[in-house]
Amino acid sequence: RQVLRGGRDPCLFPAEGIAGRRARFAAYRDLDAAYKAAREKKTLMTVGTRTINPYAIALANTLQRDRHLKVRQAVFSPNGFYERLVAFWCDHFAIDARKGGAMRLLAPLHEAEAIRPHLAGSFADLLKAAALHPAMLAYLDQTRSVGPNSPVGLKSGRGLNENLARELIELHTMGAGSGYSQKDVRSAAYVLTGLWYRAPVYETAFRPRSAEPGTYRVLGREYGGKRRDMTHIHALLDDLAARKETRRHICRKLVVHFIADDPPQPVVDAMVTAWKRSGGALPAVYRAMLDHPRSWEDGGRKARQPFDFVVAALRALDVPAEALAPGDGAKKGGGRPAADVAALADVMMMTAEGKPAL
């Protein structure tokens, strides 16, 4: 019930909401362009001897607000099990907000759009949502992966980037040492060429002119053809999601997260069986773990991770919701120049039609 409720309940972040965040992408781009233009003209704002980058400040402020709201979401949610699942899957499909400016905008969207709404569905749907989200493509440099024999590759001399293919097989699905080869990884990278995202709207797209032509064998199955399209990528992910190695890898990780670092094998086996019978329906897998008597023996075998520890402490102390609201540095700064610039960066982001000007 918690998993179903959690997927329906609104998420507190991004701070402006999903639609609001996406509506402001162009404004962030314009703010960056204005900063670069001012740098060229040597008209940058300064505080003392230090030049100021309003674009970087706006990104930092936005990410910090989202971090506050993420803690607040976990502390006050009535669906504690769902929130622990969110933590597990965000770690499983890990990205890093510190990689590039746009990642600070995309990381909260990855959780809000790709992770949270799919925890009550199938693993295949969750995998496709998480792995094909623009945040994952940006984090793993998928836009740098071009088919060497594609029209774009032949013209530019660019080639493969295997980051996404390796993460998909080694971390997201089958797990390290599960029987795949480097040839499988490289073939998967060929299948994934053409996978792209449109900037500044950050929507996943397929670019046929960047896709490597031909057919490629990954783990005994063939993908591709004369004309490449997104269906070949979806087929690859569906097949990876359905593999027995994937079932065992994910179920074991779930037991490690919830029960013990040395997971009881009977619990893992029960979850693998539920996965197979249900066709990868995640609620059936969670239920198999919760229903197994071994899951409730030998309590106290898990130490809380730092985020869980902080959330549990705030819940235990009954901290009021307003104490966890994102702060306004400009108001609390007493007129400090840095706080004023931070406030100015935010105001610039809110100007009419997203057209800030230095």
Side-chain angles (χ1 to χ4, degrees), residues 192-256:
L192 293 170
T193 54
L195 185 58
W196 211 262
Y197 62 81
R198 300 186 183 95
V201 296
Y202 291 102
E203 293 177 349
T204 300
F206 187 82
R207 298 179 65 178
R209 289 179 56 81
S210 297
E212 183 74 359
T215 301
Y216 297 92
R217 179 177 289 269
V218 182
L219 296 159
R221 297 200 175 190
E222 292 187 344
Y223 307 91
K226 290 184 178 180
R227 299 187 65 179
R228 296 286 316 287
D229 57 47
M230 200 69 170
T231 62
H232 304 142
I233 295 174
H234 285 169
L236 172 63
L237 268 60
D238 282 334
D239 288 344
L240 287 172
R243 291 189 67 89
K244 63 180 181 180
E245 297 90 347
T246 298
R247 295 195 292 267
R248 191 155 297 279
H249 175 58
I250 302 299
C251 290
R252 187 183 188 281
K253 283 190 67 173
L254 277 163
V255 178
V256 169

Side-chain angles (χ1 to χ4, degrees), residues 15-345:
E16 323 90 305
I18 292 174
R21 172 63 51 84
R22 289 192 165 277
R24 296 181 77 184
F25 280 153
Y28 282 101
R29 178 197 58 190
D30 292 342
L31 186 59
D32 185 33
Y35 166 74
K36 291 175 179 176
R39 185 176 60 189
E40 288 290 324
K41 296 176 183 178
K42 302 186 185 305
T43 58
L44 290 173
M45 292 187 293
T46 60
V47 173
T49 59
R50 185 177 180 183
T51 58
I52 297 299
N53 182 345
Y55 172 64
I57 292 171
L59 291 176
N61 285 353
T62 297
L63 181 61
Q64 191 65 7
R65 280 194 292 269
D66 289 339
R67 283 171 167 167
H68 275 281
L69 292 171
K70 179 175 172 64
V71 174
R72 189 174 181 176
Q73 175 95 29
V75 171
F76 294 102
S77 172
N79 307 309
F81 179 65
Y82 173 80
E83 294 297 329
R84 288 292 310 283
L85 284 170
V86 170
F88 169 82
W89 288 112
C90 285
D91 181 67
H92 183 74
F93 295 109
I95 58 174
D96 191 343
R98 297 169 296 180
K99 181 174 180 176
M103 286 300 298
R104 300 189 179 198
L105 306 175
L106 293 173
L109 278 179
H110 186 251
E111 178 174 338
E113 289 182 323
I115 304 292
R116 287 179 171 268
H118 294 90
L119 299 194
S122 70
F123 175 71
D125 288 344
L126 173 60
L127 174 65
K128 285 181 281 191
L132 302 182
H133 192 275
M136 186 67 74
L137 305 186
Y139 175 57
L140 294 177
D141 302 312
Q142 178 60 24
T143 55
R144 296 183 182 180
S145 188
V146 175
N149 297 304
S150 68
V152 172
L154 291 172
K155 183 177 180 180
S156 66
R158 296 166 62 186
L160 284 183
N161 183 303
E162 297 180 1
N163 288 356
L164 179 59
R166 187 170 301 281
E167 294 271 310
L168 273 173
I169 296 174
E170 187 172 283
L171 299 178
H172 298 162
T173 57
M174 295 174 61
S178 54
Y180 63 89
S181 67
Q182 170 58 26
K183 185 177 180 180
D184 290 318
V185 172
R186 190 161 186 82
S187 294
Y190 279 122
V191 176
L192 293 170
T193 54
L195 185 58
W196 211 262
Y197 62 81
R198 300 186 183 95
V201 296
Y202 291 102
E203 293 177 349
T204 300
F206 187 82
R207 298 179 65 178
R209 289 179 56 81
S210 297
E212 183 74 359
T215 301
Y216 297 92
R217 179 177 289 269
V218 182
L219 296 159
R221 297 200 175 190
E222 292 187 344
Y223 307 91
K226 290 184 178 180
R227 299 187 65 179
R228 296 286 316 287
D229 57 47
M230 200 69 170
T231 62
H232 304 142
I233 295 174
H234 285 169
L236 172 63
L237 268 60
D238 282 334
D239 288 344
L240 287 172
R243 291 189 67 89
K244 63 180 181 180
E245 297 90 347
T246 298
R247 295 195 292 267
R248 191 155 297 279
H249 175 58
I250 302 299
C251 290
R252 187 183 188 281
K253 283 190 67 173
L254 277 163
V255 178
V256 169
H257 179 74
F258 280 99
I259 299 172
D261 292 341
D262 183 15
Q265 193 60 45
V267 181
V268 176
D269 292 342
M271 295 167 68
V272 169
T273 299
W275 183 311
K276 186 175 181 179
R277 287 176 176 171
S278 67
L282 291 173
V285 178
Y286 307 147
R287 181 179 294 278
M289 178 179 66
L290 296 174
D291 283 349
H292 201 286
R294 285 290 300 275
S295 298
W296 303 97
E297 297 175 1
D298 301 325
R301 297 176 63 188
K302 288 294 297 183
R304 282 194 172 103
Q305 296 297 306
F307 182 82
D308 293 331
F309 186 88
V310 170
V311 168
L314 293 170
R315 289 171 68 97
L317 293 169
D318 199 22
V319 172
E322 57 269 20
L324 298 182
D328 187 337
K331 290 182 180 178
K332 296 179 180 179
R336 292 175 299 163
D340 292 341
V341 173
L344 175 61

